[in-house]
Amino acid sequence: EVQLVESGGGLVQAGGSLRLSCAASGFTFDDYAIVWFRQAPGKEREGVSCISSSVGNTYYADSVKGRFTISIDNAKNTVFLQLNSLKPEDTAVYYCAASSIGCTTPAGMDYWGKGTLVTVSS
């Protein structure tokens, strides 16, 4: 069974940090780009960060550049997203997804997690 399971979301004050995890089962990350998306109420789903271990590509949205860091633990088949200097506008459900074609739009994703909620208070 193919699964992506996010964890690590929660409530944090502005300026604080969280570390999100995306654990995969039923497939390996080796040949996939792993993408973090987020969706706030009333807004479109947007790409936050992406990493491709095989190609070495990385991506950060301008809004999070310098604050968020994506990384992979290959032994645990888990991708992390470190969220630092959080702002209220970072509040959203964060989803991880996997794509065999690279860092692209939601339509290009093969697998999705159910999401984890990040709430940043002011």
Side-chain angles (χ1 to χ4, degrees), residues 4-7 20-24 29 34 36 77-80 96-97:
L4 290 171
V5 180
E6 303 97 333
S7 62
L20 308 183
S21 299
C22 174
F29 283 161
I34 309 302
W36 285 96
N77 214 34
T78 300
V79 172
F80 303 96
C96 69

Side-chain angles (χ1 to χ4, degrees), residues 3-119:
Q3 274 192 304
L4 290 171
V5 180
E6 303 97 333
S7 62
L11 175 63
V12 64
Q13 291 186 332
S17 298
L18 287 171
R19 193 188 195 195
L20 308 183
S21 299
C22 174
S25 62
F27 76 107
T28 178
F29 283 161
D30 289 352
D31 296 321
Y32 288 80
I34 309 302
V35 189
W36 285 96
F37 296 91
R38 68 184 182 186
Q39 188 164 26
K43 295 185 177 181
E44 293 186 32
R45 189 167 299 186
E46 63 174 347
V48 177
S49 185
C50 180
I51 186 167
S52 174
S53 59
S54 61
V55 180
N57 293 337
T58 61
Y59 168 80
Y60 296 96
D62 289 341
S63 59
V64 307
K65 199 169 297 180
R67 299 188 297 121
F68 293 6
T69 304
I70 191 168
S71 61
I72 297 178
D73 185 333
N74 290 310
K76 295 183 177 180
N77 214 34
T78 300
V79 172
F80 303 96
L81 186 67
Q82 179 69 41
L83 287 62
N84 295 328
S85 302
L86 283 162
K87 305 174 181 179
E89 53 262 43
D90 294 318
T91 296
V93 177
Y94 285 70
Y95 300 89
C96 69
S99 172
S100 62
I101 61 174
C103 299
T104 185
T105 63
M109 302 298 108
D110 298 302
Y111 309 120
W112 287 89
K114 293 182 178 180
T116 185
L117 177 62
V118 172
T119 303

